[in-house]
């Protein structure tokens, strides 16, 4: 209801959704299940409306949902807050959200409804519909703030996909790889890392072994500075891993010593980097060795897990790959809008500097037959592009002021 996508008229929105689904045949008075004929295939479907405010009606449908145990009991549920609590639905195969919620924990709860095992269920799907910022600042004149909000929502959508990788991946145990020590006995869920700092206090052990660590990962993925650094690709992974994330750990878990912060950091970085990589096994070719070795596949490279070190892991940005995937799946104009918004949020350009640079922008366009590009490796051209964005933003603001 509070998202930019909402009309703020929730009951009208439910009716629109029902119209899209098909035709209402009848509503069961005892359960309040809506029996419909779907337009696309004329199939009879059962729909639950959890947006309904009337207590008696709402209690009847909730009671029905809590009793159901078959895929045939319900086909579609339309909900707001009830999507994350109040009933269980392991048969659910597709969660569709419209607009964005501020809490990644809520998103995980919603998606969690689709990832529970159920007989005959082979896959699950999650779709998040958010506003396309390339439609903002168009002829209808939405504000620059709307563009920032929608770009931020797209960055959060990346965070959701990353967080789901973390939530759904098998739990791993990390231990320090000790030099000149015979191979430790381990299972497939234990990974030994050179230079890894194991937990040494009750505080760090409690954080890592409890649900707090997943909540903290959600906070990492919601941190705008980290997301912008990953999306822009302008900051080295080691800066994110060794400066930005420890800073967030200190803010989130107060009263930790430097050593304890480093223990949490090692676990979070190793867990995030390794869980997003594929682990494969390969027969050992060395005639003096026997058995198989485990390989970590990351960025089209294979690393022997026995050779893993924190120095190597710190050179990996766990968030960069997701943005690269996004950049391949969106339109060029949308990606350009995202990059421009990130640059403008970071840019310190002033009106005075933009005025001075304007003649240089005109000269650049005349000499190169194109406008300056933010993606250029030339810092001077990047600065001209930032000035151009600044002037375009000011022009829009003046146009809106004149229209008002």
């Amino acid at each position: 209801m509070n998202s930019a996508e909402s009309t703020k008229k929730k009951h009208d929105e439910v009716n629109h959704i029902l119209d899209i689904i098909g035709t209402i045949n009848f509503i069961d008075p005892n359960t309040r299940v809506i029996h419909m004929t779907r337009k696309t295939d004329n199939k009879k479907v059962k729909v639950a409306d959890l947006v309904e405010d009337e207590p008696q009606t709402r209690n009847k449908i909730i009671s029905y949902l809590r009793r159901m145990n078959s895929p045939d009991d319900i086909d579609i549920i339309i909900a707001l807050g009830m999507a994350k609590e109040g009933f269980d639905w392991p048969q659910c195969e597709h969660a569709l959200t419209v607009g964005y919620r501020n809490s990644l924990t809520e998103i995980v709860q919603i998606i969690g409804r689709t990832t529970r095992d159920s007989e005959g269920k082979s896959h699950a799907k999650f779709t998040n519909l958010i506003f396309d910022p390339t439609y903002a600042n168009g002829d209808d004149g939405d504000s620059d703030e709307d563009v920032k909000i929608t770009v931020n929502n797209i960055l959060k959508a990346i965070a959701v996909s990353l967080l789901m990788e973390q939530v759904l991946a098998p739990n791993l145990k990390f231990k320090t790889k000790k030099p000149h020590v015979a191979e430790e006995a381990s299972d497939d869920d234990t990974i030994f890392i050179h230079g890894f700092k194991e937990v040494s206090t009750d505080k760090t052990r409690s954080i890592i072994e409890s649900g707090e660590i997943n909540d903290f990962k959600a906070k990492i993925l919601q941190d705008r500075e980290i997301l912008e650094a990953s999306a822009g690709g302008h900051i080295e992974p080691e800066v994110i891993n060794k400066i930005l994330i420890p800073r967030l750990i200190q803010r989130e878990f107060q009263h930790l010593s430097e050593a304890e912060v480093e223990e949490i950091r090692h676990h979070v970085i190793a867990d995030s980097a390794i869980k997003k990589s594929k682990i494969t096994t390969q027969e050992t070719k060395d005639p003096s060795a026997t058995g198989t070795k485990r390989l970590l596949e990351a960025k089209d490279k294979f690393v022997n897990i026995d050779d893993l070190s924190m120095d190597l892991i710190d050179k990996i940005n766990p968030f960069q790959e997701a943005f690269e995937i996004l950049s391949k799946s969106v339109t060029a104009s949308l990606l350009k809008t995202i990059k421009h918004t990130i640059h403008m949020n970071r840019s310190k350009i002033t009106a005075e500097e933009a005025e001075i640079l304007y003649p240089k922008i005109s000269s650049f366009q005349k000499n190169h037959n194109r406008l300056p590009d933010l993606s250029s490796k030339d810092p001077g051209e990047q600065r001209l592009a930032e000035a151009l964005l600044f002037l375009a933003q000011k022009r829009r603001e003046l146009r809106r002021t004149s229209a008002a």
Side-chain angles (χ1 to χ4, degrees):
M1 276 297 293
N2 294 321
S3 71
E5 290 79 0
S6 175
T7 65
K8 316 306 179 189
K9 298 177 181 179
K10 61 182 182 180
H11 297 298
D12 289 347
E13 290 174 350
V14 171
N15 289 333
H16 286 313
I17 293 170
L18 293 175
D19 287 341
I20 291 169
I21 294 171
T23 304
I24 296 177
N25 300 322
F26 67 95
I27 299 176
D28 189 314
N30 297 316
T31 63
R32 302 307 299 174
V33 172
I34 305 170
H35 293 254
M36 304 185 67
T37 299
R38 191 159 58 193
K39 284 181 182 178
T40 53
D41 56 6
N42 290 323
K43 180 183 176 181
K44 298 293 188 292
V45 295
K46 298 174 183 176
V47 180
D49 173 12
L50 294 184
V51 183
E52 176 59 59
D53 291 322
E54 203 281 315
Q56 188 174 1
T57 301
R58 188 183 181 92
N59 290 338
K60 283 184 179 180
I61 187 61
I62 291 174
S63 177
Y64 174 82
L65 293 177
R66 286 175 176 165
R67 297 194 309 268
M68 65 182 182
N69 53 28
S70 166
D72 296 328
D73 289 336
I74 205 75
D75 296 292
I76 299 169
I77 296 176
I78 305 171
L80 286 172
M82 287 297 294
K84 64 181 189 294
E85 59 186 356
F87 67 95
D88 194 27
W89 192 18
Q91 296 86 7
C92 177
E93 295 179 347
H94 189 175
L96 168 65
T97 64
V98 181
Y100 202 85
R101 294 172 182 268
N102 288 326
S103 168
L104 282 183
T105 304
E106 285 188 19
I107 291 287
V108 171
Q109 289 174 316
I110 294 169
I111 299 174
R113 301 220 170 274
T114 72
T115 55
R116 295 174 189 172
D117 290 334
S118 179
E119 186 176 354
K121 176 178 170 180
S122 60
H123 68 282
K125 185 177 181 179
F126 171 67
T127 304
N128 181 209
L129 294 180
I130 52 180
F131 186 68
D132 183 343
T134 54
Y135 287 100
N137 276 327
D139 294 336
D140 293 332
D142 285 325
S143 69
D144 291 306
E145 188 61 30
D146 291 334
V147 181
K148 291 180 183 178
I149 290 171
T150 50
V151 166
N152 191 43
N153 286 346
I154 288 176
L155 294 176
K156 287 181 178 178
I158 302 172
V160 168
S161 65
L162 286 164
L163 188 61
M164 287 313 298
E165 285 183 351
Q166 301 291 318
V167 171
L168 297 177
N171 288 324
L172 298 173
K173 296 187 287 288
F174 301 103
K175 291 187 177 181
T176 306
K177 178 82 173 179
K178 299 175 182 177
H180 313 300
V181 175
E183 184 65 38
E184 300 93 337
S186 66
D187 52 47
D188 289 341
D189 295 331
T190 301
I191 293 179
F192 292 88
I193 303 172
H194 294 281
F196 182 79
K197 295 188 181 299
E198 297 182 21
V199 295
S200 62
T201 67
D202 290 339
K203 281 192 291 186
T204 53
R205 186 174 293 104
S206 174
I207 291 169
I208 289 171
E209 293 180 356
S210 70
E212 282 185 277
I213 198 67
N214 279 331
D215 290 340
F216 177 66
K217 285 180 184 178
K219 287 182 172 64
I220 291 177
L221 298 172
Q222 283 180 294
D223 185 83
R224 189 172 185 87
E225 187 176 15
I226 292 174
L227 280 173
E228 288 186 358
S230 301
H234 63 287
I235 292 182
E236 291 295 321
E238 288 176 281
V239 175
I240 296 173
N241 293 335
K242 292 184 176 182
I243 297 176
L244 301 185
I245 289 179
R247 188 186 300 164
L248 199 60
I249 294 172
Q250 289 170 334
R251 285 204 305 267
E252 185 62 23
F253 304 108
Q254 298 179 5
H255 311 301
L256 289 181
S257 67
E258 287 186 18
E260 289 171 326
V261 168
E262 188 69 350
E263 289 170 10
I264 299 294
R265 186 189 81 80
H266 275 213
H267 183 90
V268 169
I269 297 301
D271 199 48
S272 299
I274 293 173
K275 276 188 174 179
K276 65 181 281 296
S277 304
K278 184 179 179 182
I279 297 177
T280 59
T281 57
Q282 186 181 80
E283 290 294 331
T284 303
K285 295 181 179 180
D286 185 350
S288 63
T290 58
T292 61
K293 61 180 178 181
R294 289 192 295 168
L295 300 175
L296 191 72
E297 182 181 353
K299 284 282 187 181
D300 300 324
K301 294 181 180 179
F302 290 90
V303 179
N304 190 335
I305 286 184
D306 291 338
D307 298 331
L308 271 181
S309 69
M310 281 308 301
D311 286 340
L312 177 64
I313 291 171
D314 275 331
K315 291 180 172 63
I316 299 171
N317 181 352
F319 320 121
Q320 183 66 37
E321 187 176 355
F323 193 82
E324 290 173 358
I325 291 170
L326 175 78
S327 68
K328 295 174 184 176
S329 62
V330 300
T331 62
S333 60
L334 174 55
L335 182 62
K336 186 177 180 180
T337 300
I338 294 172
K339 287 185 175 180
H340 283 188
T341 304
I342 289 171
H343 270 278
M344 288 308 298
N345 286 343
R346 195 170 66 243
S347 176
K348 303 297 183 184
I349 204 159
T350 63
E352 290 77 14
E353 183 182 356
E355 185 178 351
I356 292 171
L357 291 177
Y358 181 74
K360 295 185 178 182
I361 295 172
S362 300
S363 177
F364 182 95
Q365 184 177 16
K366 183 178 179 180
N367 293 333
H368 297 83
N369 200 29
R370 63 176 176 85
L371 291 171
D373 187 356
L374 277 174
S375 301
S376 172
K377 294 181 179 179
D378 179 5
E381 182 179 348
Q382 286 185 8
R383 197 62 175 175
L384 291 178
E386 288 181 8
L388 187 62
L389 284 175
F390 178 88
L391 291 168
Q393 180 178 319
K394 291 301 178 185
R395 194 179 301 118
R396 288 192 297 269
E397 291 174 359
L398 286 172
R399 196 160 50 231
R400 284 195 297 271
T401 302
S402 300

